[in-house]
Amino acid sequence: MITIRPARGDDDLAAVRQLCWAYRDVLVARTTDFPLLLDFFYAQPVYQQLMDDLPARHIAPDGEIFVAEMQDQIVACGMTHRIDATTCEIKRVFVAPAARGQGIAQQLCKAAMQDARERGYTRVVLDTMRNLPEAMALYEGMGFTEAVPYYDLPDTLLDDIVFYEHPL
């Protein structure tokens, strides 16, 4: 049985940070041929600062951090934050390898989208790397469509990132 719920307390945040570092490890392994991409998004000090700031970046009423629990263990995470009055972004959806293949990422995205709808957002956006075909398949299978970039990105990285949106 899988439970999706908001992260609460230091233990949950520690588990989320551990999952986020594992997510970064996957991305670093898949982007070794793209040093600019690594430097832009995943440089060690930049990512450390992001991890330190997680609760402040994804805080109610503008967003949330979600966890997926299986057998009383946190096995996945995902989070949202405000882009503007009508749009929120889904970030860092990651499922631990041992828990994959059970639809957890989709459940996290659905929970995030429902939460965003309840907060009054009318659109959700996200991005992923083209070298993550499983993520692209997930989002496209959920009805996300490709969108224009919603943040500034160097032109040299535009071919490596896919932007998606979904109405709520």
Side-chain angles (χ1 to χ4, degrees):
M1 175 152 171
I2 299 159
T3 303
I4 308 293
R5 64 172 178 77
R8 297 291 181 255
D10 292 340
D11 290 345
D12 284 1
L13 284 174
V16 168
R17 286 183 176 113
Q18 185 176 11
L19 287 164
C20 287
W21 281 106
Y23 173 66
R24 180 187 178 272
D25 290 344
V26 168
L27 297 175
V28 166
R30 293 213 188 165
T31 56
T32 56
D33 294 338
F34 307 98
L36 182 58
L37 194 61
L38 286 174
D39 289 344
F40 190 79
F41 288 108
Y42 301 107
Q44 175 79 23
V46 173
Y47 204 75
Q48 181 62 58
Q49 187 63 53
L50 177 66
M51 292 299 100
D52 293 345
D53 294 344
L54 275 184
R57 289 178 182 252
H58 305 284
I59 190 169
D62 294 330
E64 189 67 77
I65 299 173
F66 295 94
V67 296
E69 277 186 325
M70 189 169 62
Q71 299 174 344
D72 296 323
Q73 184 175 7
I74 293 175
V75 297
C77 65
M79 48 210 76
T80 61
H81 71 104
R82 182 181 199 266
I83 297 291
D84 61 39
T86 61
T87 307
C88 83
E89 180 182 27
I90 296 175
K91 297 295 291 179
R92 288 174 288 288
V93 174
F94 182 75
V95 179
R100 291 184 186 153
Q102 300 181 60
I104 296 173
Q106 184 176 36
Q107 289 179 51
L108 278 166
C109 289
K110 285 181 178 180
M113 292 168 74
Q114 179 61 35
D115 182 75
R117 190 176 297 110
E118 291 170 3
R119 292 178 192 273
Y121 295 112
T122 58
R123 178 176 80 126
V124 65
V125 296
L126 55 82
D127 68 5
T128 192
M129 293 183 199
R130 289 197 188 277
N131 62 355
L132 294 173
E134 64 272 41
M136 293 173 63
L138 168 70
Y139 302 134
E140 290 169 9
M142 292 183 69
F144 281 83
T145 57
E146 285 197 41
V148 298
Y150 52 89
Y151 60 84
D152 292 331
L153 192 65
D155 289 344
T156 55
L157 296 180
L158 286 174
D159 290 339
D160 301 322
I161 305 294
V162 184
F163 293 87
Y164 288 103
E165 66 182 351
H166 196 294
L168 295 175

